[in-house]
Amino acid sequence: LDCEQRIVIAKVIRRWVISHLQRSCFVIEHDVLMLSALADRMILFTGEPGLEAFASKPQSVKEAFNAFLQELSVTFRRDPSNFRPRINK
């Protein structure tokens, strides 16, 4: 799926979970843009594969993204034309 389709799918999933299921949904996703459109809270998993793992408490999307980016030493900015997040290189 392209970027626009992934955002639409994320919004459909979110709307379905909230209005029809009225439950929480645990989604594992690698696409940062889709996560930002889908999530209202996030759990951040850190550690070393095969050695140790840690799970954070549920956090707001902003707090979780900031913690994740801090782990990677990466920063984001908003694209001024469409306000989508872009990674600073």
Side-chain angles (χ1 to χ4, degrees):
L1 298 175
D2 71 9
C3 181
E4 298 297 326
Q5 291 170 325
R6 293 181 70 78
I7 293 171
V8 170
I9 293 296
K11 289 179 181 178
V12 168
I13 292 170
R14 183 180 174 116
R15 198 168 34 245
W16 176 259
V17 169
I18 291 170
S19 63
H20 294 288
L21 299 179
Q22 298 177 344
R23 297 182 181 203
S24 296
C25 181
F26 192 89
V27 177
I28 299 171
E29 177 59 57
H30 69 281
D31 186 326
V32 173
L33 187 59
M34 187 163 177
L35 277 175
S36 66
L38 181 60
D40 63 345
R41 289 179 295 163
M42 297 172 67
I43 298 172
L44 182 62
F45 292 90
T46 58
E48 292 189 47
L51 296 177
E52 62 185 1
F54 304 97
S56 72
K57 63 179 173 51
Q59 307 172 61
S60 71
V61 174
K62 182 178 178 179
E63 290 172 334
F65 271 125
N66 285 338
F68 173 69
L69 294 172
Q70 188 174 13
E71 279 284 321
L72 299 177
S73 299
V74 172
T75 58
F76 266 91
R77 69 186 185 288
R78 288 272 177 198
D79 187 304
S81 62
N82 59 19
F83 303 105
R84 291 193 183 135
R86 300 287 186 224
I87 295 175
N88 292 322
K89 295 181 179 182

